[in-house]
Amino acid sequence: MDLAGKNIVLGLTGGIACYKAAEFTRAMIKAGASVQVVMTSAAMHFITPVTMQGLSGKPVFTDQWDARIGNNMPHIDLTRDADVIVIAPCSADFISKLAHGACDDLLSTLCVARPATVPLLVAPAMNVEMWQNPATQRNLAQLLADDIQLLGPDAGEQACGEVGMGRMLEANQLLEEVIASFQPKLLKGKRLLLTAGPTFEPIDPVRGITNLSSGKMGYAVARAAYEAGAEVTLVSGPTALAAPYGVRRIGVQTAQQMHDIVMAQLAGADSRTDVFVAVAAVADWRVANASAQKLKKNADGSAPELVFEQNPDILATVAALPKPPYCVGFAAESENLLQYGEVKRIRKNVPLLVGNIGHDTFGKDDNQLVLFDADGHTSLPRAGKQQLARQLIAAIASRLT
Ligand code: CTP
């Protein structure tokens, strides 16, 4: 439950994207949050307080003069135990109000009256021309200068039929952003490159050799790195997983392709990769005599003769670069983890190696890790992969100079 115990004030302003706020509320409640909805009168043209009360389980506030609050000061009382205020959707008009500190309705007054310690996140939602208008852009710059965080918007098809920037993020993306807002920004300004998932080495056009890696641990590390403020590129073998929100994913099939993409990423002119994390379960060998046609059964019952050759070791190659990024390896062992982990860290020449028991983690949602570095090893007890990934990101951040 990523939002367990969090008190969230959700403000809705006038926009067709109000329909997404309903699902967003549900998603936050499912993630353990308590959600207090506040709506402007424009928002009530798009969705009713009844719907939002039904979904949040709490009466909705719409009026500055709401006598249900003992002291008749909802603009003060509603934020005093809030962990964050999220405005979704946030209209061009409400952005303008925030930029100027307007206090002419409950929601705008509540934002101005919030304690300085309560972060304000806004998810803009408007027509592309409204978004591009210099006045809106001026107001947005003011919001950023005032430490108000923007969530999106996205580009794409709009309800009005036009296409461009201004679409509000989807409910699940907003949820990811809210969860991320509670994570410490330990990797702010850093660039991370990761490999994840299995590789697939063809035997012929329809068959190949792969392994049981699901990609879950690597994707969790990528997500945790994004939450920690990093710019993340994930080079992924074939998995059934959606790309983590905010992460750039490049899909590959074979170990050689994974190697080539990783090296190209590190060689790019604007590439200053700070950290490389090799989570992928890379096939050690490929089939050297892979067939261009589907192999047929032999009449005499004999099996095809496959010839193997070794794949490049991506992690060892990166670690051997003249100016390598901070390299983190993973080791999937079947036994003797403590002994093999330390030996592998030294063999791969990396400052940090993360050990786990392969058959105990592949495809599962939880895991346990042992971190090996020059000072010895530390155990991270069994927990969800996302939780472990966040601990690992903190461990990496603390080792960066
Ligand atoms: N790795 C890699 N390229 C390879 C093989 C492995 O980048 N061709 C990386 C993995 O992503 C992981 C680490 O090396 O971070 C260790 O992988 P593992 O398979 O446990 O180790 P191997 O070097 O293959 O050693 P062995 O299979 O002999 O234990």
Side-chain angles (χ1 to χ4, degrees):
M1 297 270 266
D2 283 326
L3 294 178
K6 299 294 184 203
N7 291 321
I8 295 171
V9 172
L10 172 64
L12 273 66
T13 71
I16 190 69
C18 274
Y19 78 92
K20 296 184 186 175
E23 210 184 325
F24 177 40
T25 303
R26 256 294 307 106
M28 287 193 288
I29 301 258
K30 271 190 179 169
S34 155
V35 180
Q36 173 62 63
V37 177
V38 179
M39 295 171 71
T40 64
S41 57
M44 290 190 285
H45 285 280
F46 293 92
I47 193 165
T48 67
V50 174
T51 301
M52 297 310 293
Q53 177 170 354
L55 293 171
S56 66
K58 286 179 182 230
V60 171
F61 285 82
T62 61
D63 182 11
Q64 171 73 63
W65 313 111
D66 194 318
R68 282 174 298 173
I69 297 265
N71 59 7
N72 213 317
M73 296 186 196
H75 66 296
I76 306 288
D77 288 25
L78 291 180
T79 62
R80 288 311 179 258
D81 64 352
D83 294 297
V84 67
I85 301 174
V86 189
I87 312 292
C90 190
S91 64
D93 178 53
F94 201 77
I95 286 172
S96 159
K97 284 187 177 190
L98 287 175
H100 294 91
C103 297
D104 62 355
D105 62 9
L106 173 59
L107 189 58
S108 56
T109 313
L110 170 154
C111 288
V112 174
R114 78 188 188 281
T117 50
V118 178
L120 177 55
L121 315 183
V122 308
M126 68 197 73
N127 165 269
V128 55
E129 299 295 346
M130 295 174 83
W131 172 259
Q132 286 169 355
N133 188 284
T136 306
Q137 289 299 316
R138 228 175 17 246
N139 291 332
L140 286 164
Q142 186 60 54
L143 262 52
L144 293 175
D146 291 347
D147 262 343
I148 295 174
Q149 197 193 323
L150 295 184
L151 312 182
D154 213 344
E157 222 171 275
Q158 305 199 311
C160 54
E162 295 183 3
V163 177
M165 199 68 170
R167 272 174 62 93
M168 189 169 83
L169 296 184
E170 301 301 327
N172 61 330
Q173 299 176 322
L174 290 173
L175 178 70
E176 294 285 324
E177 289 282 20
V178 172
I179 292 169
S181 77
F182 290 111
Q183 298 303 322
K185 302 300 165 209
L186 300 172
L187 293 179
K188 196 169 169 50
K190 303 284 185 200
R191 278 196 190 173
L192 247 92
L193 179 64
L194 292 104
T195 64
T199 64
F200 179 92
E201 309 296 330
I203 295 173
D204 68 18
V206 294
R207 302 186 182 95
I209 296 171
T210 186
N211 59 63
L212 288 174
S213 166
S214 62
K216 284 181 184 169
M217 191 68 223
Y219 278 53
V221 177
R223 182 180 169 205
Y226 174 76
E227 289 176 346
E231 195 185 312
V232 186
T233 302
L234 173 64
V235 185
S236 172
T239 73
L241 304 173
Y245 172 69
V247 168
R248 185 165 73 108
R249 177 172 67 172
I250 305 173
V252 297
Q253 194 181 47
T254 65
Q256 186 65 50
Q257 288 166 354
M258 189 175 269
H259 167 273
D260 294 349
I261 295 281
V262 164
M263 298 318 285
Q265 289 297 311
L266 294 172
D270 65 338
S271 71
R272 175 198 43 82
T273 297
D274 301 286
V275 181
F276 175 61
V277 192
V279 197
V282 185
D284 289 323
W285 303 281
R286 63 174 166 261
V287 179
N289 59 341
S291 167
Q293 283 85 38
K294 186 183 168 203
L295 293 173
K296 293 288 185 193
K297 283 198 281 290
N298 294 325
D300 63 1
S302 64
E305 298 249 323
L306 299 182
V307 179
F308 290 95
E309 63 189 343
Q310 200 163 317
N311 275 321
D313 187 321
I314 305 167
L315 177 60
T317 310
V318 174
L321 288 171
K323 282 189 182 167
Y326 185 85
C327 286
V328 183
F330 266 68
E333 305 294 349
S334 57
E335 69 275 302
N336 290 344
L337 181 58
L338 291 187
Q339 185 197 338
Y340 291 160
E342 182 51 22
V343 170
K344 194 168 282 185
R345 187 188 77 78
I346 292 165
R347 176 161 56 81
K348 300 253 180 182
N349 191 25
V350 293
L352 183 63
L353 186 115
V354 184
N356 53 182
I357 297 292
H359 54 271
D360 234 17
T361 172
F362 279 9
K364 303 226 166 101
D365 289 326
D366 61 355
N367 196 2
Q368 53 187 344
L369 303 177
V370 182
L371 308 189
F372 298 90
D373 68 7
D375 295 332
H377 66 266
T378 327
S379 296
L380 302 184
R382 185 160 284 282
K385 285 186 174 174
Q386 197 55 58
Q387 205 179 323
L388 285 172
R390 289 183 184 130
Q391 291 173 33
L392 174 60
I393 287 297
I396 292 172
S398 72
R399 287 167 170 82
L400 297 180
T401 44

